[in-house]
C-alpha cells in the first residue's frame, strides 16, 4: 500500500512540474469594447432598480419595520 501511495504522489509531483516548467506563452487579444455591451445592458437595469427603490422607499421602510416588530414580539414571548 505504501508503494502505491509513493507512486501516485510522484506522478502528481511530476504533472505539477510539467505544468510549471513546460509552459508556452499565450498571446491573446481581447476586444477593447467587450465591456461596452455589458455596460449597455447593466446600466439601464441599475438605473431602473435605483428608481424603484427611490419611489418605493417608504413602503420598503414600512415593510422592514413591520418585520422587525414581528420578530421582536416573537423573541419577547
Amino acid at each position: 500500500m505504501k508503494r502505491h501511495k509513493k507512486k501516485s504522489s510522484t506522478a502528481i509531483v511530476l504533472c505539477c512540474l510539467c505544468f510549471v516548467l513546460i509552459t508556452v506563452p499565450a498571446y491573446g487579444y481581447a476586444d477593447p469594447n467587450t465591456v461596452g455591451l455589458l455596460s449597455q445592458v447593466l446600466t439601464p437595469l441599475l438605473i431602473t432598480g435605483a428608481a424603484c427603490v427611490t419611489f418605493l422607499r417608504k413602503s420598503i421602510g414600512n415593510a422592514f419595520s413591520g418585520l422587525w416588530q414581528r420578530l421582536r414580539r416573537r423573541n419577547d414571548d
Side-chain angles (χ1 to χ4, degrees):
M1 190 72 174
K2 290 182 183 180
R3 187 177 180 119
H4 180 67
K5 284 185 180 181
K6 188 174 182 179
K7 283 185 180 181
S8 63
S9 63
T10 305
I12 291 171
V13 169
L14 284 175
C15 287
C16 290
L17 284 175
C18 286
F19 280 122
V20 171
L21 297 176
I22 305 173
T23 57
V24 178
Y27 300 103
Y29 172 75
D31 185 25
N33 198 20
T34 306
V35 183
L37 179 63
L38 185 63
S39 68
Q40 288 177 358
V41 171
L42 290 180
T43 302
L45 291 175
L46 291 174
I47 291 171
T48 304
C52 288
V53 169
T54 301
F55 286 121
L56 299 173
R57 69 177 182 260
K58 289 185 180 179
S59 299
I60 294 171
N62 289 337
F64 276 112
S65 65
L67 180 66
W68 284 114
Q69 287 175 359
R70 286 183 187 171
L71 289 174
R72 286 184 195 146
R73 284 187 213 148
R74 287 184 184 173
N75 287 338
D76 290 339
D77 291 338

